[in-house]
mmCIF file of all heavy atoms in Angstrom:
data_model
loop_
_atom_site.group_PDB
_atom_site.id
_atom_site.type_symbol
_atom_site.label_atom_id
_atom_site.label_comp_id
_atom_site.label_asym_id
_atom_site.label_seq_id
_atom_site.Cartn_x
_atom_site.Cartn_y
_atom_site.Cartn_z
ATOM 1 N N ARG A 1 -28.213 -17.159 -63.959
ATOM 2 C CA ARG A 1 -27.022 -17.949 -64.331
ATOM 3 C C ARG A 1 -27.227 -19.415 -64.000
ATOM 4 O O ARG A 1 -27.947 -19.780 -63.115
ATOM 5 C CB ARG A 1 -25.806 -17.395 -63.551
ATOM 6 C CG ARG A 1 -25.539 -15.916 -63.746
ATOM 7 C CD ARG A 1 -24.428 -15.435 -62.945
ATOM 8 N NE ARG A 1 -24.153 -14.018 -63.107
ATOM 9 C CZ ARG A 1 -23.215 -13.325 -62.517
ATOM 10 N NH1 ARG A 1 -22.392 -13.945 -61.646
ATOM 11 N NH2 ARG A 1 -23.034 -12.036 -62.775
ATOM 12 N N PRO A 2 -26.523 -20.248 -64.801
ATOM 13 C CA PRO A 2 -26.508 -21.709 -64.452
ATOM 14 C C PRO A 2 -25.754 -21.903 -63.160
ATOM 15 O O PRO A 2 -24.923 -21.061 -62.758
ATOM 16 C CB PRO A 2 -25.806 -22.314 -65.668
ATOM 17 C CG PRO A 2 -24.967 -21.225 -66.209
ATOM 18 C CD PRO A 2 -25.708 -19.991 -65.998
ATOM 19 N N ARG A 3 -25.972 -22.994 -62.517
ATOM 20 C CA ARG A 3 -25.276 -23.284 -61.206
ATOM 21 C C ARG A 3 -23.789 -23.385 -61.401
ATOM 22 O O ARG A 3 -23.034 -23.039 -60.521
ATOM 23 C CB ARG A 3 -25.905 -24.549 -60.603
ATOM 24 C CG ARG A 3 -27.306 -24.430 -60.128
ATOM 25 C CD ARG A 3 -27.742 -25.657 -59.289
ATOM 26 N NE ARG A 3 -29.099 -25.435 -58.843
ATOM 27 C CZ ARG A 3 -30.139 -25.972 -59.463
ATOM 28 N NH1 ARG A 3 -30.002 -26.697 -60.517
ATOM 29 N NH2 ARG A 3 -31.383 -25.783 -58.965
ATOM 30 N N GLU A 4 -23.406 -23.914 -62.560
ATOM 31 C CA GLU A 4 -21.971 -24.007 -62.881
ATOM 32 C C GLU A 4 -21.758 -23.324 -64.220
ATOM 33 O O GLU A 4 -22.425 -23.677 -65.193
ATOM 34 C CB GLU A 4 -21.525 -25.464 -62.947
ATOM 35 C CG GLU A 4 -21.434 -26.201 -61.623
ATOM 36 C CD GLU A 4 -20.889 -27.591 -61.852
ATOM 37 O OE1 GLU A 4 -19.624 -27.732 -61.957
ATOM 38 O OE2 GLU A 4 -21.665 -28.521 -61.992
ATOM 39 N N ARG A 5 -20.717 -22.502 -64.274
ATOM 40 C CA ARG A 5 -20.355 -21.935 -65.573
ATOM 41 C C ARG A 5 -18.872 -21.599 -65.554
ATOM 42 O O ARG A 5 -18.262 -21.343 -64.526
ATOM 43 C CB ARG A 5 -21.152 -20.714 -65.932
ATOM 44 C CG ARG A 5 -20.883 -19.518 -65.057
ATOM 45 C CD ARG A 5 -21.638 -18.260 -65.584
ATOM 46 N NE ARG A 5 -21.232 -17.100 -64.837
ATOM 47 C CZ ARG A 5 -21.608 -15.842 -65.140
ATOM 48 N NH1 ARG A 5 -22.359 -15.672 -66.189
ATOM 49 N NH2 ARG A 5 -21.222 -14.818 -64.459
ATOM 50 N N LEU A 6 -18.305 -21.704 -66.748
ATOM 51 C CA LEU A 6 -16.909 -21.286 -66.950
ATOM 52 C C LEU A 6 -16.897 -20.327 -68.069
ATOM 53 O O LEU A 6 -17.374 -20.652 -69.178
ATOM 54 C CB LEU A 6 -16.035 -22.477 -67.230
ATOM 55 C CG LEU A 6 -14.525 -22.176 -67.487
ATOM 56 C CD1 LEU A 6 -13.911 -21.620 -66.220
ATOM 57 C CD2 LEU A 6 -13.811 -23.468 -67.962
ATOM 58 N N ILE A 7 -16.344 -19.139 -67.882
ATOM 59 C CA ILE A 7 -16.280 -18.120 -68.899
ATOM 60 C C ILE A 7 -14.822 -17.940 -69.342
ATOM 61 O O ILE A 7 -13.936 -17.765 -68.504
ATOM 62 C CB ILE A 7 -16.879 -16.756 -68.461
ATOM 63 C CG1 ILE A 7 -18.292 -16.954 -67.930
ATOM 64 C CG2 ILE A 7 -16.773 -15.724 -69.506
ATOM 65 C CD1 ILE A 7 -18.906 -15.686 -67.351
ATOM 66 N N LEU A 8 -14.599 -17.967 -70.646
ATOM 67 C CA LEU A 8 -13.235 -17.822 -71.197
ATOM 68 C C LEU A 8 -13.251 -16.738 -72.240
ATOM 69 O O LEU A 8 -13.881 -16.868 -73.287
ATOM 70 C CB LEU A 8 -12.760 -19.158 -71.785
ATOM 71 C CG LEU A 8 -11.305 -19.125 -72.334
ATOM 72 C CD1 LEU A 8 -10.340 -18.740 -71.236
ATOM 73 C CD2 LEU A 8 -10.998 -20.478 -72.890
ATOM 74 N N ARG A 9 -12.508 -15.622 -71.945
ATOM 75 C CA ARG A 9 -12.371 -14.569 -72.936
ATOM 76 C C ARG A 9 -11.254 -14.893 -73.867
ATOM 77 O O ARG A 9 -10.195 -15.333 -73.476
ATOM 78 C CB ARG A 9 -12.158 -13.245 -72.156
ATOM 79 C CG ARG A 9 -12.358 -12.013 -72.961
ATOM 80 C CD ARG A 9 -12.194 -10.766 -72.022
ATOM 81 N NE ARG A 9 -10.821 -10.664 -71.555
ATOM 82 C CZ ARG A 9 -10.015 -9.629 -71.975
ATOM 83 N NH1 ARG A 9 -10.488 -8.633 -72.699
ATOM 84 N NH2 ARG A 9 -8.829 -9.518 -71.482
ATOM 85 N N TYR A 10 -11.463 -14.593 -75.170
ATOM 86 C CA TYR A 10 -10.466 -14.910 -76.188
ATOM 87 C C TYR A 10 -9.149 -14.268 -75.868
ATOM 88 O O TYR A 10 -8.067 -14.911 -76.026
ATOM 89 C CB TYR A 10 -11.010 -14.380 -77.545
ATOM 90 C CG TYR A 10 -10.037 -14.617 -78.651
ATOM 91 C CD1 TYR A 10 -10.038 -15.847 -79.344
ATOM 92 C CD2 TYR A 10 -9.167 -13.619 -79.137
ATOM 93 C CE1 TYR A 10 -9.167 -16.095 -80.399
ATOM 94 C CE2 TYR A 10 -8.282 -13.863 -80.148
ATOM 95 C CZ TYR A 10 -8.299 -15.082 -80.830
ATOM 96 O OH TYR A 10 -7.435 -15.312 -81.865
ATOM 97 N N GLU A 11 -9.129 -13.042 -75.399
ATOM 98 C CA GLU A 11 -7.892 -12.350 -75.083
ATOM 99 C C GLU A 11 -7.075 -13.022 -73.964
ATOM 100 O O GLU A 11 -5.841 -13.010 -73.970
ATOM 101 C CB GLU A 11 -8.158 -10.902 -74.745
ATOM 102 C CG GLU A 11 -8.488 -10.017 -75.941
ATOM 103 C CD GLU A 11 -9.889 -10.253 -76.461
ATOM 104 O OE1 GLU A 11 -10.724 -10.808 -75.750
ATOM 105 O OE2 GLU A 11 -10.203 -9.758 -77.609
ATOM 106 N N ASP A 12 -7.829 -13.688 -73.054
ATOM 107 C CA ASP A 12 -7.124 -14.446 -72.022
ATOM 108 C C ASP A 12 -6.639 -15.800 -72.573
ATOM 109 O O ASP A 12 -5.573 -16.253 -72.208
ATOM 110 C CB ASP A 12 -8.081 -14.636 -70.800
ATOM 111 C CG ASP A 12 -8.459 -13.316 -70.180
ATOM 112 O OD1 ASP A 12 -7.601 -12.413 -70.089
ATOM 113 O OD2 ASP A 12 -9.615 -13.197 -69.709
ATOM 114 N N LEU A 13 -7.497 -16.387 -73.389
ATOM 115 C CA LEU A 13 -7.118 -17.699 -73.981
ATOM 116 C C LEU A 13 -5.835 -17.583 -74.772
ATOM 117 O O LEU A 13 -4.989 -18.484 -74.676
ATOM 118 C CB LEU A 13 -8.270 -18.172 -74.937
ATOM 119 C CG LEU A 13 -7.949 -19.328 -75.888
ATOM 120 C CD1 LEU A 13 -7.739 -20.571 -75.090
ATOM 121 C CD2 LEU A 13 -9.127 -19.475 -76.910
ATOM 122 N N THR A 14 -5.656 -16.503 -75.518
ATOM 123 C CA THR A 14 -4.455 -16.345 -76.362
ATOM 124 C C THR A 14 -3.327 -15.614 -75.695
ATOM 125 O O THR A 14 -2.322 -15.288 -76.334
ATOM 126 C CB THR A 14 -4.847 -15.605 -77.647
ATOM 127 O OG1 THR A 14 -5.501 -14.367 -77.354
ATOM 128 C CG2 THR A 14 -5.810 -16.447 -78.482
ATOM 129 N N SER A 15 -3.438 -15.395 -74.353
ATOM 130 C CA SER A 15 -2.364 -14.719 -73.620
ATOM 131 C C SER A 15 -1.358 -15.780 -73.159
ATOM 132 O O SER A 15 -1.540 -16.961 -73.397
ATOM 133 C CB SER A 15 -2.948 -13.993 -72.421
ATOM 134 O OG SER A 15 -3.385 -14.909 -71.428
ATOM 135 N N GLU A 16 -0.363 -15.355 -72.430
ATOM 136 C CA GLU A 16 0.649 -16.251 -71.865
ATOM 137 C C GLU A 16 0.013 -17.161 -70.855
ATOM 138 O O GLU A 16 0.636 -18.200 -70.478
ATOM 139 C CB GLU A 16 1.806 -15.507 -71.248
ATOM 140 C CG GLU A 16 1.397 -14.563 -70.145
ATOM 141 C CD GLU A 16 2.577 -13.740 -69.615
ATOM 142 O OE1 GLU A 16 3.621 -13.696 -70.313
ATOM 143 O OE2 GLU A 16 2.447 -13.186 -68.528
ATOM 144 N N ARG A 17 -1.204 -16.856 -70.351
ATOM 145 C CA ARG A 17 -1.881 -17.733 -69.400
ATOM 146 C C ARG A 17 -2.761 -18.759 -70.043
ATOM 147 O O ARG A 17 -3.470 -19.487 -69.415
ATOM 148 C CB ARG A 17 -2.753 -16.824 -68.451
ATOM 149 C CG ARG A 17 -1.968 -15.846 -67.659
ATOM 150 C CD ARG A 17 -2.938 -14.843 -66.936
ATOM 151 N NE ARG A 17 -3.824 -15.542 -66.086
ATOM 152 C CZ ARG A 17 -5.154 -15.438 -66.136
ATOM 153 N NH1 ARG A 17 -5.717 -14.692 -67.094
ATOM 154 N NH2 ARG A 17 -5.926 -16.101 -65.302
ATOM 155 N N GLY A 18 -2.704 -18.844 -71.388
ATOM 156 C CA GLY A 18 -3.637 -19.642 -72.131
ATOM 157 C C GLY A 18 -3.653 -21.117 -71.708
ATOM 158 O O GLY A 18 -4.717 -21.691 -71.517
ATOM 159 N N VAL A 19 -2.513 -21.718 -71.569
ATOM 160 C CA VAL A 19 -2.458 -23.136 -71.237
ATOM 161 C C VAL A 19 -3.012 -23.340 -69.819
ATOM 162 O O VAL A 19 -3.747 -24.342 -69.563
ATOM 163 C CB VAL A 19 -0.937 -23.653 -71.292
ATOM 164 C CG1 VAL A 19 -0.936 -25.095 -70.800
ATOM 165 C CG2 VAL A 19 -0.456 -23.548 -72.719
ATOM 166 N N TYR A 20 -2.732 -22.467 -68.913
ATOM 167 C CA TYR A 20 -3.267 -22.577 -67.549
ATOM 168 C C TYR A 20 -4.788 -22.505 -67.590
ATOM 169 O O TYR A 20 -5.476 -23.304 -66.884
ATOM 170 C CB TYR A 20 -2.696 -21.443 -66.714
ATOM 171 C CG TYR A 20 -3.346 -21.253 -65.356
ATOM 172 C CD1 TYR A 20 -2.980 -22.116 -64.291
ATOM 173 C CD2 TYR A 20 -4.313 -20.303 -65.158
ATOM 174 C CE1 TYR A 20 -3.618 -21.993 -63.030
ATOM 175 C CE2 TYR A 20 -4.928 -20.162 -63.894
ATOM 176 C CZ TYR A 20 -4.553 -20.993 -62.904
ATOM 177 O OH TYR A 20 -5.198 -20.835 -61.659
ATOM 178 N N LEU A 21 -5.342 -21.617 -68.393
ATOM 179 C CA LEU A 21 -6.742 -21.489 -68.490
ATOM 180 C C LEU A 21 -7.408 -22.656 -69.170
ATOM 181 O O LEU A 21 -8.524 -23.074 -68.807
ATOM 182 C CB LEU A 21 -7.134 -20.168 -69.219
ATOM 183 C CG LEU A 21 -6.713 -18.888 -68.467
ATOM 184 C CD1 LEU A 21 -6.989 -17.659 -69.336
ATOM 185 C CD2 LEU A 21 -7.439 -18.769 -67.133
ATOM 186 N N ILE A 22 -6.785 -23.245 -70.137
ATOM 187 C CA ILE A 22 -7.319 -24.419 -70.802
ATOM 188 C C ILE A 22 -7.261 -25.637 -69.863
ATOM 189 O O ILE A 22 -8.099 -26.513 -69.912
ATOM 190 C CB ILE A 22 -6.561 -24.694 -72.106
ATOM 191 C CG1 ILE A 22 -6.864 -23.596 -73.133
ATOM 192 C CG2 ILE A 22 -6.982 -26.074 -72.708
ATOM 193 C CD1 ILE A 22 -6.278 -23.833 -74.475
ATOM 194 N N SER A 23 -6.309 -25.606 -68.897
ATOM 195 C CA SER A 23 -6.324 -26.648 -67.868
ATOM 196 C C SER A 23 -7.636 -26.575 -67.081
ATOM 197 O O SER A 23 -8.205 -27.614 -66.708
ATOM 198 C CB SER A 23 -5.116 -26.450 -66.911
ATOM 199 O OG SER A 23 -3.918 -26.723 -67.572
ATOM 200 N N ASP A 24 -8.062 -25.335 -66.793
ATOM 201 C CA ASP A 24 -9.366 -25.182 -66.134
ATOM 202 C C ASP A 24 -10.505 -25.709 -66.977
ATOM 203 O O ASP A 24 -11.474 -26.289 -66.450
ATOM 204 C CB ASP A 24 -9.630 -23.687 -65.816
ATOM 205 C CG ASP A 24 -8.698 -23.176 -64.740
ATOM 206 O OD1 ASP A 24 -8.157 -23.992 -63.958
ATOM 207 O OD2 ASP A 24 -8.565 -21.951 -64.637
ATOM 208 N N VAL A 25 -10.434 -25.560 -68.293
ATOM 209 C CA VAL A 25 -11.440 -26.062 -69.192
ATOM 210 C C VAL A 25 -11.484 -27.581 -69.118
ATOM 211 O O VAL A 25 -12.544 -28.206 -69.075
ATOM 212 C CB VAL A 25 -11.248 -25.562 -70.635
ATOM 213 C CG1 VAL A 25 -12.243 -26.202 -71.588
ATOM 214 C CG2 VAL A 25 -11.269 -24.043 -70.744
ATOM 215 N N ILE A 26 -10.313 -28.202 -69.162
ATOM 216 C CA ILE A 26 -10.225 -29.661 -69.069
ATOM 217 C C ILE A 26 -10.857 -30.125 -67.796
ATOM 218 O O ILE A 26 -11.683 -31.100 -67.833
ATOM 219 C CB ILE A 26 -8.709 -30.080 -69.095
ATOM 220 C CG1 ILE A 26 -8.029 -29.720 -70.379
ATOM 221 C CG2 ILE A 26 -8.631 -31.580 -68.804
ATOM 222 C CD1 ILE A 26 -8.484 -30.450 -71.586
ATOM 223 N N ARG A 27 -10.597 -29.495 -66.687
ATOM 224 C CA ARG A 27 -11.144 -29.896 -65.380
ATOM 225 C C ARG A 27 -12.677 -29.633 -65.391
ATOM 226 O O ARG A 27 -13.427 -30.324 -64.604
ATOM 227 C CB ARG A 27 -10.441 -29.221 -64.272
ATOM 228 C CG ARG A 27 -9.105 -29.852 -63.906
ATOM 229 C CD ARG A 27 -8.523 -29.215 -62.649
ATOM 230 N NE ARG A 27 -8.031 -27.854 -62.908
ATOM 231 C CZ ARG A 27 -6.798 -27.553 -63.261
ATOM 232 N NH1 ARG A 27 -5.880 -28.549 -63.441
ATOM 233 N NH2 ARG A 27 -6.427 -26.305 -63.504
ATOM 234 N N PHE A 28 -13.118 -28.617 -66.093
ATOM 235 C CA PHE A 28 -14.542 -28.312 -66.127
ATOM 236 C C PHE A 28 -15.334 -29.454 -66.801
ATOM 237 O O PHE A 28 -16.446 -29.801 -66.421
ATOM 238 C CB PHE A 28 -14.770 -27.014 -66.849
ATOM 239 C CG PHE A 28 -16.145 -26.418 -66.706
ATOM 240 C CD1 PHE A 28 -16.611 -25.935 -65.500
ATOM 241 C CD2 PHE A 28 -17.010 -26.383 -67.762
ATOM 242 C CE1 PHE A 28 -17.860 -25.408 -65.348
ATOM 243 C CE2 PHE A 28 -18.320 -25.840 -67.614
ATOM 244 C CZ PHE A 28 -18.752 -25.393 -66.379
ATOM 245 N N PHE A 29 -14.718 -30.038 -67.817
ATOM 246 C CA PHE A 29 -15.339 -31.160 -68.508
ATOM 247 C C PHE A 29 -15.159 -32.504 -67.789
ATOM 248 O O PHE A 29 -16.020 -33.371 -67.854
ATOM 249 C CB PHE A 29 -14.811 -31.287 -69.935
ATOM 250 C CG PHE A 29 -15.435 -30.322 -70.876
ATOM 251 C CD1 PHE A 29 -14.962 -28.997 -71.000
ATOM 252 C CD2 PHE A 29 -16.464 -30.743 -71.733
ATOM 253 C CE1 PHE A 29 -15.538 -28.136 -71.896
ATOM 254 C CE2 PHE A 29 -17.054 -29.867 -72.612
ATOM 255 C CZ PHE A 29 -16.588 -28.538 -72.692
#
């Protein structure tokens, strides 16, 4: 595995938690 990775499953992305998870994506970048 890479030292840093973020995994996002489509079913989680499109769930009610989607905005929260995309916040994690923003912070990852």
Side-chain angles (χ1 to χ4, degrees):
R1 301 177 181 182
R3 292 192 178 96
E4 288 185 82
R5 69 173 186 173
L6 178 65
I7 302 175
L8 182 58
R9 195 173 69 114
Y10 179 85
E11 286 75 16
D12 297 325
L13 168 66
T14 54
S15 72
E16 60 183 15
R17 299 171 57 237
V19 175
Y20 170 79
L21 295 174
I22 292 183
S23 294
D24 289 341
V25 176
I26 297 292
R27 283 187 287 268
F28 193 69
F29 279 83

